[in-house]
Structure formats: C-alpha cells, structure tokens
Amino acid sequence: MICKKNNIEDFWLFILFFTISFLLLGAIIDSMVICKQIPVIIKVENISEFSLALIQIQATIVTLMLSIIGILSGVLSDQYMGVSVSYYFLEIKPYPLTHKKIVYAEFILLGFSLIGYVFLLYNFLFSIFISSLILIVVSIVEMYEVFKGKKYIEDNIKEYINSKFKIIEDTKSKEEKEVKENTEDTKEIKKGIEIAGEFVEHWKSIVSSQTTEEFEQYSVIFWKIFIFLLHNKKIDNINSYTESMALSLLQSESQSCKLRGMLFVNDVYQEIKLWIDKHRSRAKTINQRIEFMDRISAVWYSTLCLLDDEVTKAAFEEYFWKKVETYDYKKKKDQEIKFQWFDYFTKTILYVHSYISPFGKQFDTVMNLANRLGDYVIKQKKMGHRLDEDYWSLIIAKGYDYSEYFRKKDENEQNLYIYYLILRDFNICFGYLMNCQTEMILQGLCSGDAIGDLAYYEPQLKKLTLIHCLMYYIVNRGEKHGIPKG
C-alpha cells in the first residue's frame, strides 16, 4: 500500500513538472520569436480571435469545475474518523495537485492568458491553455474517486491518518540523542495534534453505537495517535483525549460500552508501559503528570460497582490472555494459577508512574481504589451479583516473584516499586477489615500459594507483618475508632 501511494504521488509530481515545463517552453518560444532568433513555425490566420476563443473556453471550464466542486461539497458532508470526506478529496488528495490548488492555479493561468493576449504572446497563451486542460483532467480523474464506494473512501482516510502518526524506531544510541532534542513543535506535530483532536471528538460522538469491528478499527488508530502524542511529550493532550474517551464509554447506558471503557482505561496504562519499555531514557524526561486515573477514578469505580463481577472478570481475562504475550504469565496459567485483573491493572499503573511523574497523586489514587475493594465486595453482594470470594482473596496471596513483566533494570527502583505494591495490598486488607470481610483476608493469607511465597520472599514477609500489625490495632483499638465488629 505504501509503495502504491508513493508511485501515485510520483506520477502527480511528474504531471506537475510536465505542466510547468510546457508553460516555460511556450514563454521561451515567444521570447525567441520576438527577438527574431527563430521564425514563426505555425502561422494561423486571425490568431487574435483564435487566442480570445481559447481564453473564453478556459474561463468556461474553470467556472464549470467550480460548479461541480460546489455540488460535490454539499453531497459529501459525511465524516470518517474525524476527517470530512469533502475536505479530504478537495484539500488533501491527491498530493500535491489537490483540487484547491488546481482551482487557484486555474485562476492564475487565466490571468496569465489575458497578459499573453495583451502582449501578443500567442505561443505562451496556447501553452497556458494546454496546461489548463491538463489540470482539469487531473481534477476530473480525482473527482471520480468519490464514486468508488464508502469502503474505498474510508480506507483512503484511514491510510491518510496512519501516515500522520508514524514513529520511527531508533537505536538506543540514537534515542539517547533524541532526549536532548529541541522541544519546539514542528509543523508535522501541530498537524498531528489537530487531527488527533478531530478524531477524538468524532469517535466520542459515535462510540456508543459502534459494532465490535468498528470499535476495534477506531481503537487501532487511537493508540497510534496516543503513542505519537506520548513520544512527543504532549501530556496535556493525552490527559484530555483519554479522559474524554473513557468518560464517554464508562457513562454509557450500554453494558458492553461500560466493559469497553474498563478495558480502555487498562489499555491506556498498558500502552504507556509498552512504550516505556522501548524508550526508558525518554520516559524519564517527561516532567508533566499523567492525570488520567485521577480524573476518572470516581466514575471508574461507580461503573465497576454497577457491572456484574463475573462479567468484568471474564472480560479482563479474555483480554489479558489475548493481548499480553509474556512467557512468565503463560507459564503461570499452565500451572492453573488464576490471573487477577485488579492486581495486574494496579501493577501497571504503579509501574508507569514510577517512570513518569513518580509516585505523586497517582499513588494516592491507586491506594484509594485498593482501599475501596471491601466496599466493592459489599455492593456486589447487595446487588445480587455473582462474586467469587476466592478470586478477590487471591490478590492478597499474590507474591512478587512473577513480576518479570514489571521488572526494572535498577535494583533500587525495583525495590521501591515492590514497596508500593506492599502498601497497595495493605490498603486492600484495610478495606476488607473495615467492611467486615476478615474471612477473605484469612483465606488469602492462609492459602498454600501464599504460605509458600512467604517462606522465600522478603516482600511477602513485610506485607504479612504490616497486615498483622493492622489486625492487632483493629482488635485493640477498634472500638475507639468506630470500627464495626465482625
């Protein structure tokens, strides 16, 4: 597809070169005739009237072309992926001879024709007429592209958007160099941001009515836009676009849209993590905060409570084993150890924020969500939803030995990351205790997997110590602090 596109662009560049060359040839011949360096090759009787007729034909064709473009502009009012179909065919395609440029060129050539007629430059005038006809033919050929069908139009627009969000993968040595690059936006970056904004606005307006296939097609483009913005450190745009899309999905009345919203939120951090793994040094130069989860956490939690726990769990597990290709996790699956989606989700968030805007308000957001799992369990039971207590006990039993997917190169960074995971688990236990779910804590800590882990891993011992201290505090001071019994 790329080769074909390049060949088409080369062809139109050749047509442009040929047209300009023909104009210059006419001007050169006239100048040589005036200087009597060459004789008049073709003599035409009443050349003045003939030239005037050419000008009239040229003006008529220009007027007709404008009329056709005006009619098509009214008919082609649809949008696809935020790009107006009429705008695409009039101002973008074909490069470099767009319809807009051809119209301007036709008016300029008409002006040159009048100048040639006044100064008796008939060869120049004739070359202008031929050039004008060539441009008209180009315009008509491209205009008929509109009638090739909806799929053809959509594929062309999709290809155009893709071309605006390409990131060249560099070697490590070059990446270190690019960290020190100029921070000023290039023309391409500004155009990319403009297209991204239009895409998000359009997608947001139709996302609730999209089929699975349409949603996936738009998602592919969105993540290319997302990585483009991240690579160029446009964090404000990322915060705005991701929040806008997440809220559109999470606040939809459709359960399928709500589930898409939950997976979308996970994908935001998943995509950032994958990018960080390729561009660690660049990631550490991002000084702005990714506020995405801070902005949507309340809506995210309320949506989570509305969805049936089994439905949410099934959606995340299907997503996980389909998308995440790591040997470590697949090995665990083969050993019939359950994947816990909240564990994976919060691990990803903490991993991302250990590189970008390290552990600020985002850390508090994760701890707050962990703290509210006890409330979530209670609400699921009250709403009559199916809840697998073993599944939610599993997160407490999770060790830190299988974190190759979240492994950091620096040992101190890895230890800090594990420390925050310990605090996350502590907050989960606190939330369970506050909501009288003590059995879930005991079930998690006393499982065979957890005991095995505790025997070998220091982080598990720290977690166990913290939880025991918390339970001791609850038992001895609970009544003074209004902790319910249970």
Side-chain angles (χ1 to χ4, degrees):
M1 183 67 76
I2 295 173
C3 293
K4 183 179 178 182
K5 181 183 176 184
N6 290 336
N7 290 337
I8 292 172
E9 288 184 359
D10 290 342
F11 173 74
W12 291 129
L13 284 170
F14 171 75
I15 292 294
L16 181 62
F17 173 78
F18 177 79
T19 304
I20 295 172
S21 300
F22 199 79
L23 285 171
L24 292 175
L25 179 63
I28 291 170
I29 291 174
D30 267 331
S31 63
M32 294 177 74
V33 169
I34 291 171
C35 297
K36 297 182 180 182
Q37 294 180 355
I38 61 171
V40 177
I41 299 173
I42 300 175
K43 293 184 180 180
V44 179
E45 293 184 8
N46 298 322
I47 186 67
S48 178
E49 293 180 8
F50 176 74
S51 300
L52 184 60
L54 290 181
I55 294 174
Q56 290 172 343
I57 294 171
Q58 186 182 348
T60 302
I61 292 174
V62 172
T63 305
L64 181 62
M65 189 180 72
L66 285 174
S67 301
I68 294 172
I69 290 175
I71 293 170
L72 285 177
S73 297
V75 174
L76 303 174
S77 57
D78 292 341
Q79 274 193 340
Y80 183 68
M81 293 192 171
V83 178
S84 166
V85 175
S86 58
Y87 174 81
Y88 176 76
F89 278 100
L90 295 179
E91 295 196 35
I92 297 174
K93 187 186 180 187
Y95 177 85
L97 293 173
T98 65
H99 290 289
K100 183 178 180 181
K101 291 177 181 177
I102 289 176
V103 169
Y104 289 153
E106 288 289 353
F107 277 109
I108 292 170
L109 290 176
L110 189 58
F112 282 152
S113 293
L114 293 174
I115 294 172
Y117 182 76
V118 170
F119 291 97
L120 307 179
L121 303 174
Y122 298 121
N123 291 295
F124 181 52
L125 193 151
F126 183 73
S127 67
I128 289 174
F129 178 74
I130 298 299
S131 299
S132 179
L133 286 181
I134 293 173
L135 292 178
I136 291 296
V137 170
V138 170
S139 181
I140 291 172
V141 169
E142 285 301 318
M143 207 171 286
Y144 271 92
E145 296 281 296
V146 174
F147 303 106
K148 287 189 175 181
K150 183 179 178 181
K151 188 176 186 307
Y152 176 82
I153 293 172
E154 290 178 352
D155 288 345
N156 272 264
I157 293 177
K158 198 184 301 179
E159 184 182 343
Y160 162 71
I161 295 175
N162 275 324
S163 68
K164 295 297 179 182
F165 297 103
K166 288 180 181 175
I167 294 177
I168 300 172
E169 299 296 341
D170 297 321
T171 61
K172 183 178 178 182
S173 59
K174 193 162 184 182
E175 184 184 318
E176 290 172 356
K177 181 181 177 181
E178 74 179 2
V179 169
K180 302 176 184 179
E181 66 187 358
N182 193 342
T183 56
E184 290 184 9
D185 291 347
T186 62
K187 184 179 179 181
E188 289 76 15
I189 292 175
K190 290 178 180 178
K191 185 63 178 177
I193 293 172
E194 180 186 342
I195 294 173
E198 293 169 352
F199 174 88
V200 170
E201 283 300 314
H202 177 67
W203 191 20
K204 186 174 65 173
S205 67
I206 64 171
V207 69
S208 60
S209 60
Q210 283 186 317
T211 63
T212 301
E213 183 181 357
E214 290 171 338
F215 181 79
E216 288 178 354
Q217 287 178 355
Y218 273 71
S219 294
V220 169
I221 301 295
F222 180 84
W223 297 121
K224 286 187 178 181
I225 292 173
F226 182 84
I227 295 301
F228 172 86
L229 295 173
L230 184 61
H231 200 75
N232 290 289
K233 305 179 185 180
K234 300 301 169 189
I235 305 303
D236 287 339
N237 297 103
I238 286 176
N239 287 331
S240 174
Y241 297 157
T242 51
E243 177 191 10
S244 181
M245 283 310 307
L247 292 179
S248 297
L249 289 164
L250 293 172
Q251 293 177 332
S252 172
E253 295 181 2
S254 164
Q255 176 174 283
S256 62
C257 274
K258 290 181 185 296
L259 283 171
R260 285 175 183 173
M262 298 295 290
L263 296 175
F264 175 86
V265 174
N266 182 81
D267 268 334
V268 169
Y269 288 99
Q270 174 68 27
E271 291 293 329
I272 299 175
K273 186 211 171 295
L274 294 175
W275 178 82
I276 287 174
D277 289 341
K278 293 180 181 179
H279 308 277
R280 291 177 188 267
S281 57
R282 188 177 183 85
K284 291 183 178 180
T285 65
I286 297 178
N287 298 319
Q288 291 177 274
R289 291 198 303 118
I290 295 178
E291 301 173 344
F292 172 59
M293 201 62 203
D294 304 339
R295 296 183 181 188
I296 67 154
S297 59
V299 176
W300 181 90
Y301 179 71
S302 63
T303 302
L304 176 65
C305 291
L306 290 173
L307 293 169
D308 189 305
D309 180 66
E310 284 296 317
V311 174
T312 306
K313 182 175 73 171
F316 267 96
E317 289 189 345
E318 180 184 359
Y319 157 89
F320 182 79
W321 298 120
K322 180 181 177 181
K323 284 196 172 185
V324 179
E325 297 292 335
T326 60
Y327 168 77
D328 189 56
Y329 272 112
K330 288 201 167 185
K331 184 177 70 174
K332 292 289 182 180
K333 186 184 181 185
D334 295 338
Q335 295 171 353
E336 297 183 352
I337 295 179
K338 289 184 178 180
F339 158 72
Q340 218 292 339
W341 73 261
F342 186 84
D343 174 62
Y344 172 77
F345 174 60
T346 49
K347 269 187 170 77
T348 309
I349 296 177
L350 291 172
Y351 183 93
V352 165
H353 288 300
S354 66
Y355 282 97
I356 302 175
S357 54
F359 300 122
K361 187 179 177 182
Q362 298 82 3
F363 167 75
D364 296 333
T365 301
V366 171
M367 297 306 129
N368 182 52
L369 291 176
N371 195 277
R372 299 182 76 175
L373 283 187
D375 177 65
Y376 169 72
V377 169
I378 294 295
K379 285 183 177 178
Q380 287 288 304
K381 291 179 178 178
K382 285 183 178 179
M383 295 175 72
H385 290 165
R386 294 163 293 173
L387 183 88
D388 185 351
E389 292 191 2
D390 291 342
Y391 185 82
W392 287 101
S393 299
L394 176 67
I395 191 170
I396 303 171
K398 281 284 186 181
Y400 306 106
D401 57 313
Y402 71 112
S403 337
E404 283 302 319
Y405 187 61
F406 301 98
R407 180 69 57 187
K408 292 173 175 291
K409 292 183 178 181
D410 185 273
E411 186 177 350
N412 292 328
E413 288 181 354
Q414 183 69 11
N415 290 336
L416 181 62
Y417 173 65
I418 290 175
Y419 168 72
Y420 281 110
L421 291 179
I422 293 170
L423 292 185
R424 179 206 64 177
D425 293 349
F426 174 80
N427 276 275
I428 292 172
C429 291
F430 183 80
Y432 284 168
L433 284 170
M434 292 292 288
N435 288 275
C436 306
Q437 303 299 317
T438 311
E439 287 297 325
M440 291 181 66
I441 301 174
L442 296 176
Q443 188 174 344
L445 291 178
C446 296
S447 67
D449 293 325
I451 293 172
D453 285 343
L454 292 171
Y456 298 103
Y457 298 102
E458 183 182 349
Q460 287 287 70
L461 291 172
K462 290 180 180 178
K463 176 169 72 174
L464 182 64
T465 303
L466 276 173
I467 293 170
H468 272 272
C469 290
L470 172 65
M471 296 179 77
Y472 176 81
Y473 175 82
I474 294 291
V475 170
N476 287 275
R477 303 290 299 275
E479 292 183 2
K480 293 184 179 180
H481 292 269
I483 308 297
K485 296 179 181 180

